[in-house]
Every structure is written in structure tokens, then in C-alpha cells.
Amino acid sequence: MDVLREKPPSIDVNFLKRYEEFNGFYNKDKQPVIDKPDVPEIERKKDLDPEESLEIAYQKLHNELVSEILSIIKKCSARFFESLVVDVLTKMGYGGSRADAGKAVGKSHDGGIDGIIKEDRLGLDVIYIQAKRWEGTVARPEIQKFAGALIGKKAKKGVFITTSSFSKEAIEYADFTGNIVLIEGEMLARLMIEYGVGVSKVKSYDVKKMDTDYFEDGVI
């Protein structure tokens, strides 16, 4: 090879430019890159089957409803929010009847306790509630105050519900206590949807598939 015969002191880009093959490779990287336009969303959706499209549409509507619920909750009065929380917990199976569950709500406000609800229909144990409409992140000191209120009541269990979110330290402290459950705003909204509090059904679709077992004996 010519390169070996020449024995150049170094082989750099300028040296290699003497060869057509290298120039073709080198200039290839210099060509302007033409970005391909993004595939329109409608084109991407063509690749989805009807069931997948339905699921995507459902999740979109669900997430939009969560945002709407959170927005309106933050505009409600503190008393209404406390009542809403009891409605959700009652629908989830706590507290027996709605009348029994709501008796203590808005009456105690004692040492960080906003309400009391029975854990079961027989009232064998109670759960203390802290319900706070909050804009910023709920920090650890708020959970510590609630934990102190539970100790003062000799309570075994508490639920702290807010319209916002909890800091990492607040979550860690609640886990450390072992008797406080935290429910942030988005989770509350999703529970409202799941248990039908403050929402109503507009439409429902039953997605069905072929029952191959039914036709098993009839196929020739």
C-alpha cells in the first residue's frame, strides 16, 4: 500500500483526504440532516386496534375528570370538604350509615382532628380524620401534629386527606407511625370517581368477544 511505503509521521484527516473513499465517508457526516416530520397523532392511532383506541380515549376522559374534580374541590368550603371526605369513606364501606358517619364531622376540630368515622358498621373501632384543602405540599410537621392529636385521643388509626400532595418526609413519617394513611388530591379524586361520589355515569360500553366454547361442538 502507498501509505505503508510513504511511512508518514502521522495519519490525520488532512492526510486521509487524499483518498476518494475517505472523502466520501467524511463528507457524509457533513450533509445537512433533514428531520422527518412527526407522524400525526391520527396516523399513529391507525395502528391501534379498536379496543386499544377505546382504552386510550377512556384514560384521557378519566384524567380530565380527575383534574376537573380537583379544581372544584379547592373552591368548596372547608365544611363541605369535610362532608365530602366522609361521603367517600362511607362509600368505601366505613362508618355504617351516612348519618352515623357524619355526626362528628365539623364538631370536634380538637387538636388537629376534623372528624371521626367508624371503621366498620358495628363501630368496633374508629378512624380519626384530618381533611385539609391545601395548595402547597403538605410537609412533615403537619403529619407530626396529626400524629400527636391521635396520641392525645388514644386513637389507633388516622387518615389525613388533602387536595394537594405530601412531601417525601411527610410520607416517610406517616409510614414510620404505622397508623396514619395519607390520601393526596389526585387519589381522592380517583376514589370519588371509583365510588361514584360527585360524579354521574354518562354512557357505558360493553366490549364483548366471541365465546369459542359455545361453538366448539357445532364447527364442522
Side-chain angles (χ1 to χ4, degrees):
M1 292 177 66
D2 292 339
V3 176
L4 296 178
R5 283 197 296 269
E6 289 183 30
K7 297 181 179 178
S10 65
I11 299 176
D12 55 17
V13 172
N14 290 328
F15 179 86
L16 293 174
K17 280 183 178 179
R18 295 162 50 184
Y19 299 92
E20 250 181 67
E21 294 86 350
F22 176 78
N23 286 324
F25 169 78
Y26 182 75
N27 293 326
K28 179 181 178 182
D29 292 338
K30 302 292 184 182
Q31 296 299 321
V33 178
I34 301 175
D35 292 332
K36 294 182 180 179
D38 291 337
V39 180
E41 186 177 353
I42 191 169
E43 291 295 327
R44 292 198 300 271
K45 286 184 177 179
K46 285 181 180 178
D47 298 331
L48 302 175
D49 63 43
E51 194 171 333
E52 290 173 326
S53 298
L54 188 62
E55 176 65 20
I56 290 173
Y58 170 79
Q59 289 298 334
K60 183 175 183 293
L61 290 172
H62 187 87
N63 291 335
E64 288 174 353
L65 182 56
V66 167
S67 297
E68 289 176 15
I69 290 172
L70 272 176
S71 177
I72 196 167
I73 284 177
K74 291 177 180 180
K75 298 175 184 177
C76 296
S77 67
R79 179 62 62 86
F80 183 87
F81 181 60
E82 291 168 4
S83 178
L84 179 155
V85 164
V86 172
D87 283 339
V88 174
L89 293 174
T90 304
K91 288 277 189 173
M92 292 175 68
Y94 297 99
S97 69
R98 176 61 180 83
D100 290 339
K103 282 182 179 178
V105 174
K107 295 180 181 178
S108 57
H109 295 285
D110 180 20
I113 303 296
D114 290 325
I116 302 170
I117 191 169
K118 297 175 184 177
E119 185 177 12
D120 52 62
R121 294 181 181 274
L122 297 177
L124 296 176
D125 205 349
V126 295
I127 298 172
Y128 285 77
I129 305 167
Q130 176 89 315
K132 293 296 182 187
R133 292 173 306 144
W134 208 281
E135 284 298 333
T137 303
V138 179
R140 172 172 171 158
E142 294 298 324
I143 309 303
Q144 288 177 310
K145 284 192 287 185
F146 183 50
L150 293 180
I151 293 172
K153 294 291 183 180
K154 296 182 180 179
K156 297 178 181 178
K157 300 171 185 177
V159 180
F160 194 118
I161 303 177
T162 182
T163 52
S164 61
S165 59
F166 298 95
S167 70
K168 179 183 176 183
E169 292 76 16
I171 295 171
E172 289 174 348
Y173 185 80
D175 288 342
F176 171 75
T177 66
N179 66 340
I180 296 177
V181 173
L182 305 181
I183 299 179
E184 47 84 32
E186 183 176 328
M187 183 187 296
L188 174 62
R190 294 188 185 280
L191 288 173
M192 290 175 65
I193 295 171
E194 181 179 352
Y195 290 96
V197 177
V199 298
S200 57
K201 183 181 292 186
V202 179
K203 284 184 180 180
S204 62
Y205 299 90
D206 291 328
V207 179
K208 300 183 179 182
K209 67 177 182 179
M210 181 79 72
D211 183 357
T212 54
D213 292 339
Y214 177 83
F215 296 97
E216 187 175 355
D217 294 335
V219 176
I220 300 175

